[in-house]
Amino acid sequence: MKKLYSAGEWPKLKKEINNWKNSGIKLVFTNGCFDVLHAGHLALLAFAARQGGKVVVGLNSDTSVRRLKGYGRPVNDAEARAKTLLLTDLVDAVVIYEEDTPQKITDQLEPDVLIKGDDYRFETTVGAPEVKGRGGEVLFFKRVPGLSTTNILEEKQKKSETNK
């Protein structure tokens, strides 16, 4: 069942994950702001879905996005971002977190597969040592060049300023 879980609902999600794992289904986890969903995000989510198992996305809360990305962000609020992710056939659940990193979520949910973009390294990936220590996999997705929400918004701003 596709669902959005707030920070207070993590125990409910953990129970669902335990049911999946007891049925032999892996938990595949990735995280991010997913502020303006674009083709790069969809490619990442498709990569996650190909790992087999249920895909759970950790989603930065609005306050977390503001701290990480600055003024004017997020463009879309957390509920809208979560609903958009859940509309894809690639995501099984979304869990919102308030912190700047998903460490608390990865500690609680214990993913079998952790996925980040290739701009990260094992040493800089939150949760990677714990996932690997449990016998899980840490995978790095080859990002789509030029596709990032920040780049898209900057290009839009440039065009807007040019057309004044």
Side-chain angles (χ1 to χ4, degrees):
M1 167 174 72
K2 291 180 165 251
K3 186 169 176 5
L4 164 62
Y5 295 87
S6 66
E9 296 176 304
W10 293 2
K12 288 182 188 176
L13 177 56
K14 178 63 175 177
K15 186 175 180 180
E16 185 69 24
I17 289 168
N18 287 340
N19 290 337
W20 296 340
K21 288 184 175 192
N22 289 336
S23 298
I25 300 170
K26 291 191 289 191
L27 169 59
V28 180
F29 182 86
T30 192
N31 70 286
C33 298
F34 295 92
D35 194 4
V36 176
L37 196 65
H38 54 71
H41 288 137
L42 294 173
L44 167 71
L45 296 171
F47 177 78
R50 285 194 302 273
Q51 303 314 307
K54 299 283 188 174
V55 175
V56 173
V57 174
L59 186 67
N60 291 81
S61 70
D62 294 344
T63 55
S64 176
V65 173
R66 261 188 293 288
R67 283 192 306 270
L68 295 169
K69 303 292 184 178
Y71 177 78
R73 301 285 296 275
V75 173
N76 296 296
D77 67 36
E79 188 172 338
R81 292 182 282 129
K83 286 180 179 178
T84 301
L85 288 166
L86 290 168
L87 283 172
T88 73
D89 290 334
L90 304 169
V91 176
D92 296 290
V94 174
V95 58
I96 296 175
Y97 60 97
E98 297 291 332
E99 300 78 17
D100 292 344
T101 76
Q103 185 72 60
K104 287 183 180 178
I105 293 178
T106 57
D107 287 349
Q108 184 165 358
L109 303 185
E110 300 180 318
D112 300 299
V113 181
L114 176 62
I115 297 175
K116 288 299 290 178
D118 66 355
D119 52 332
Y120 286 82
R121 297 288 170 255
F122 184 88
E123 300 77 26
T124 60
T125 300
V126 171
E130 295 83 358
V131 169
K132 196 76 161 167
R134 287 190 305 274
E137 294 179 275
V138 179
L139 304 175
F140 297 95
F141 170 73
K142 184 162 177 45
R143 290 173 53 116
V144 179
L147 279 182
S148 77
T149 301
T150 300
N151 289 349
I152 291 168
L153 293 175
E154 286 174 356
E155 285 299 316
K156 185 177 179 196
Q157 181 66 31
K158 285 179 192 173
K159 287 179 184 176
S160 173
E161 290 171 359
T162 306
N163 292 331
K164 288 184 179 178

